[in-house]
């Protein structure tokens, strides 16, 4: 399917914007607000022990995983109080889940003292892997679709928050580079508050190649950057959009920028704040795109 041209505010699609040289211009500013790459404000998290691998914890992640037919659930550890609140959900499941009622300290010992588990820990298998080709097929019959692309965003709190926003605003999926993104750990799932079970997280070896596949499948690629010629609303993007956001420290890499058809920015007030981190920028951008789609379809 050929890409349908998106419309700029001037009535035509602007030519793809090339990246400035490193060390020149606003793209070099660390923690740029329009790029959405400010550092995470979350406190550092102690690495989980090997015994905690494959465990999800907290009420929302555990409930969402139990209700997800694509998630293999092997073992549920719960306190007595937490089990009472899950009683109706467990009785309604079509698949049996081994349940162990344990003291809270047992779950603390398993997950570590920083895990806010709310008395629930669930041993799971991985979710089915999807590819960029799968996303093209999923969007084939859709007039509008948004795929979030995270360029080496490494903080699991940020990735989890982006998944949550992507779910709230109806995105199709979130794409990350496999080598430079966090694993789907309990920390990421807790930050996503259940969205990991609802929003596909697609891991790719080569981000540039993934963008090419999306382009061939009818997507336009827009990168969020401080030096974007237009705001995200001013660009009047429409149809199928892959929206790229850069890492917490460096922003969009040169190769990713070169694959963008548009560079757009958030309409920040001059001097109001130093930066937005990537998850906040993603939420604002998704809201803007969602509002634009609603206006175009009314």
């Amino acid at each position: 399917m050929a890409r349908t041209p998106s419309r700029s505010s001037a009535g035509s699609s602007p030519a793809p914007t090339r990246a400035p040289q490193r060390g020149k211009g606003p793209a070099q500013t660390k923690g740029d607000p329009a790029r959405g790459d400010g550092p995470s404000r979350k406190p550092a998290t102690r690495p989980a022990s090997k015994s905690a691998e494959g465990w999800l914890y907290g009420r929302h992640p555990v409930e969402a995983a139990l209700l997800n037919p694509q998630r293999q659930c092997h073992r549920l550890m719960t306190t007595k109080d937490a089990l009472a609140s899950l009683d109706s959900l467990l009785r309604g499941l079509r698949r049996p889940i081994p349940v162990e009622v344990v003291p809270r300290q047992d779950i603390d010992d398993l997950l570590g003292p920083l895990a806010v588990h709310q008395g629930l820990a669930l041993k799971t298998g991985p979710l089915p892997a999807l590819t960029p080709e799968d996303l093209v097929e999923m969007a084939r019959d859709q007039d509008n679709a948004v795929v979030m692309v995270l360029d080496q965003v490494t903080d699991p709190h940020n990735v989890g928050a982006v998944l949550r926003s992507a779910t709230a605003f109806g995105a199709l999926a979130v794409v990350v580079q496999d080598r430079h993104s966090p694993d789907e750990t309990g920390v990421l799932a807790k930050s996503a508050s259940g969205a990991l079970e609802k929003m596909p997280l697609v891991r790719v070896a080569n981000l540039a190649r993934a963008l090419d596949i999306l382009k061939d499948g009818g997507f336009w690629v827009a990168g969020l950057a401080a030096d974007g010629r237009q705001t995200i609303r001013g660009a009047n993007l429409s149809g199928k959009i892959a929206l790229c956001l850069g890492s917490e420290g460096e922003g969009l890499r040169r190769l990713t920028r070169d694959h963008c058809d548009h560079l757009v920015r958030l309409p920040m007030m001059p001097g109001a704040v130093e930066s937005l981190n990537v998850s906040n920028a993603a939420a604002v951008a998704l809201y803007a795109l969602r509002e634009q789609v609603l206006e175009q379809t009314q």
Side-chain angles (χ1 to χ4, degrees):
M1 181 189 301
R3 292 191 290 166
T4 302
S6 59
R7 298 178 294 278
S8 71
S9 57
S12 62
S13 177
T17 306
R18 311 306 290 181
Q21 296 295 318
R22 282 201 178 274
K24 298 180 180 180
Q28 185 66 17
T29 304
K30 187 174 182 180
D32 195 285
R35 196 171 56 214
D37 61 357
S40 170
R41 301 296 189 262
K42 298 283 185 179
T45 302
R46 186 180 306 170
S49 66
K50 294 292 287 185
S51 62
E53 291 181 1
W55 287 89
L56 304 181
Y57 57 83
R59 178 162 306 283
H60 292 303
V62 168
E63 288 182 351
L66 288 171
L67 292 170
N68 183 1
Q70 294 186 311
R71 174 73 84 172
Q72 295 179 341
C73 300
H74 303 305
R75 176 186 172 198
L76 175 64
M77 292 179 64
T78 174
T79 62
K80 184 177 179 180
D81 290 342
L83 178 61
S85 64
L86 279 183
D87 182 61
S88 60
L89 186 154
L90 291 172
R91 284 191 285 108
L93 294 177
R94 295 183 178 181
R95 48 185 177 166
I97 303 295
V99 177
E100 298 179 43
V101 180
V102 298
R104 178 175 291 271
Q105 186 61 47
D106 287 6
I107 304 179
D108 289 342
D109 293 343
L110 171 69
L111 302 175
L114 297 183
V116 184
H117 54 73
Q118 298 170 293
L120 293 168
L122 180 66
K123 180 71 171 178
T124 66
L127 289 166
L130 294 179
T131 66
E133 290 86 352
D134 293 326
L135 301 185
V136 170
E137 185 60 31
M138 290 164 61
R140 187 170 302 280
D141 297 326
Q142 298 185 23
D143 294 329
N144 298 283
V146 175
V147 169
M148 300 297 290
V149 180
L150 303 184
D151 186 9
Q152 297 192 354
V153 175
T154 58
D155 189 326
H157 298 98
N158 278 337
V159 175
V162 170
L163 285 167
R164 191 173 184 181
S165 295
T167 302
F169 294 112
L172 188 69
V174 176
V175 176
V176 298
Q177 188 178 22
D178 192 39
R179 291 177 301 165
H180 300 283
S181 62
D183 294 331
E184 288 141 61
T185 61
V187 174
L188 189 153
K190 188 70 164 66
S191 298
S193 193
L196 181 60
E197 309 300 323
K198 303 173 183 178
M199 178 57 51
L201 181 61
V202 181
R203 310 184 78 92
V204 298
N206 187 315
L207 203 60
R209 173 60 181 153
L211 292 176
D212 284 336
I213 292 170
L214 291 174
K215 285 186 176 186
D216 291 343
F219 282 80
W220 286 91
V221 178
L224 204 61
D227 56 337
R229 293 182 178 181
Q230 296 173 299
T231 65
I232 193 166
R233 289 296 301 271
N236 198 27
L237 302 173
S238 63
K240 300 173 185 178
I241 305 298
L243 182 63
C244 301
L245 288 89
S247 68
E248 294 92 344
E250 297 299 325
L252 292 174
R253 291 174 299 150
R254 167 66 63 82
L255 187 58
T256 304
R257 288 173 64 100
D258 286 350
H259 275 73
C260 291
D261 300 299
H262 308 276
L263 291 178
V264 297
R265 54 185 168 80
L266 297 179
M268 304 286 292
M269 294 294 293
V273 293
E274 182 179 350
S275 65
L276 291 178
N277 79 1
V278 65
S279 62
N280 291 333
V284 173
L286 282 164
Y287 173 80
L289 288 175
R290 178 64 177 168
E291 283 288 286
Q292 188 159 296
V293 168
L294 291 175
E295 291 172 3
Q296 291 170 350
T297 56
Q298 286 177 350

